[in-house]
Amino acid sequence: MAVAVPPGRAAGSGWAWRPVARDALLARAFHSCTELRGRFYLVGGLLAGGTREPSSDTVVFDPARGQAVRLGSRGSPPRSHHDAAPVGGRWLCVVGGWDGSRRLATVTALDTERGVWEAWTATPGDCPPTGLSSHTCTRISDRELQVAGREGGIHTQRRYGSIYTLRLDPSARTYCYKQEGCHIASRSGHCAALLQTPGPHPGHQLLLFGGCNLAEPEVARHWSHGKIKEEPPVAPHLMEKLARLVSSGQGSQKGPHGLRHHSCSVVGPFAVLFGGETLTRARDTICNDLYIYDTRTSPPLWFHFPCADRGMKRVGHRTCLWNDQLYLVGGFGEDGRTASPQVCILDFLI
């Protein structure tokens, strides 16, 4: 049962995470959290640090009411370190992840209209990855996702990663992987952002952040003008507030070095990254920093906004956009073992 949270802020310089709800059902990390029809769908994850057994729960959080309920439908897949994407305003497609014994590349979908989980079928010609975990899955359209990251387990990793186009047919409940010819840096626990390229005829590029020792984002794919359908901004007021925040900071061409298992949300021309685990320190590895990648300039600039509140350190969490607000859901705290039951929204103090 979600409870009201007294006023309070975990503040940085000009920004803060403001708690808006708290529920034990939401306490998990390395889950997926996807907005669909004004609800946040949390699938699986790890309920405590040190366990290898993922949860098979699906929890639906209503941000308007601040209430969470466990979905009672059968077939909810045990998953962690997976990713998910909304399709057709109806299906929640869960791609890959760890099921407690192996890494998968399958697609399992929740039909939110019927409240039923379905195992979709690979079509002939499908060339799936060896197995996916801590990868990214980015929606390009209702029939196409881009999957990026390392394949297989720790002992079978290549020195590079792969990009796959995952084509979906919701009416037939089928999917098909196609490996693209390009290679990327070997990444795990990274994030991906589909952003417009600057200029009078903007295209789109898929950028990968973190998940390895590189600080620079990597362009995984590029689409010329008109190849991807333009969509109106989903958070215009939040975009304005982010613009004011970066105007108060000092930009740099160097981003966070060696960050993984952080969150990332795209807000207009900005990629907003928070938290994660740094590979650059042996101790105190879990972070609570806010990074904003601003593509309005050429070259794009990074803005770093630290947070003094150690209670907001997060790893394996998610951020989600709804109603012109950015929500923070779940994740392990500073000890890397205790999952947060809080939901917070990003506030601005400027």
Side-chain angles (χ1 to χ4, degrees), residues 118-137:
E118 304 167 333
W120 287 13
T121 305
T123 61
D126 177 54
C127 296
T130 304
L132 296 166
S133 65
S134 298
H135 55 291
T136 55
C137 181

Side-chain angles (χ1 to χ4, degrees), residues 87-286:
V87 172
R90 174 176 175 178
W91 290 276
L92 176 67
C93 289
V94 174
V95 179
W98 173 255
D99 72 351
S101 60
R102 60 195 176 110
R103 294 167 179 84
L104 305 172
T106 54
V107 176
T108 305
L110 173 66
D111 184 340
T112 60
E113 287 187 358
R114 298 167 53 225
V116 174
W117 281 98
E118 304 167 333
W120 287 13
T121 305
T123 61
D126 177 54
C127 296
T130 304
L132 296 166
S133 65
S134 298
H135 55 291
T136 55
C137 181
T138 307
R139 180 184 177 276
I140 306 301
S141 71
D142 280 338
R143 290 183 167 267
E144 180 182 335
L145 309 177
Q146 291 289 308
V147 179
R150 291 193 305 217
E151 303 172 51
I154 296 174
H155 301 295
T156 60
Q157 297 292 0
R158 303 170 182 170
R159 287 182 295 175
Y160 58 84
S162 301
I163 298 285
Y164 287 85
T165 295
L166 177 56
R167 301 201 180 278
L168 305 171
D169 186 346
S171 60
R173 274 60 165 182
T174 59
Y175 65 92
C176 184
Y177 282 98
K178 175 193 172 186
Q179 185 173 5
E180 300 297 333
C182 54
H183 290 309
I184 57 173
S186 183
R187 296 176 187 266
S188 179
H190 56 287
C191 64
L194 183 66
L195 290 159
Q196 277 196 343
T197 55
H201 301 289
H204 288 82
Q205 56 187 6
L206 181 65
L207 293 178
L208 306 181
F209 301 93
C212 63
N213 279 320
L214 298 176
E216 299 78 15
E218 181 176 12
V219 179
R221 295 292 306 276
H222 182 271
W223 293 266
S224 58
H225 178 68
K227 294 295 184 181
I228 294 180
K229 182 182 177 183
E230 302 293 336
E231 296 184 357
V234 296
H237 297 297
L238 178 59
M239 194 164 58
E240 291 175 9
K241 293 174 183 176
L242 289 169
R244 289 201 298 270
L245 180 64
V246 300
S247 70
S248 70
Q250 182 68 41
S252 169
Q253 292 184 29
K254 290 188 176 181
H257 188 83
L259 198 62
R260 66 178 180 180
H261 302 309
H262 47 293
S263 61
C264 177
S265 291
V266 173
V267 185
F270 305 110
V272 182
L273 283 65
F274 177 71
E277 178 183 31
T278 180
L279 299 169
T280 61
R281 297 194 298 263
R283 297 181 179 178
D284 193 25
T285 59
I286 298 177

Side-chain angles (χ1 to χ4, degrees), residues 26 28 31-44 58-63 82-95 108 110 112 117 137 139 145 265 317-322 327 329:
L26 304 172
R28 60 193 65 226
H31 55 295
S32 59
C33 180
T34 312
E35 188 274 329
L36 189 57
R37 293 184 174 181
R39 303 288 190 274
F40 294 172
Y41 287 82
L42 283 73
V43 176
T58 300
V59 174
V60 183
F61 175 70
D62 181 348
H82 56 288
D83 209 353
V87 172
R90 174 176 175 178
W91 290 276
L92 176 67
C93 289
V94 174
V95 179
T108 305
L110 173 66
T112 60
W117 281 98
C137 181
R139 180 184 177 276
L145 309 177
S265 291
H317 54 289
R318 294 283 183 164
T319 51
C320 217
L321 280 169
W322 178 76
Y327 287 75
V329 184

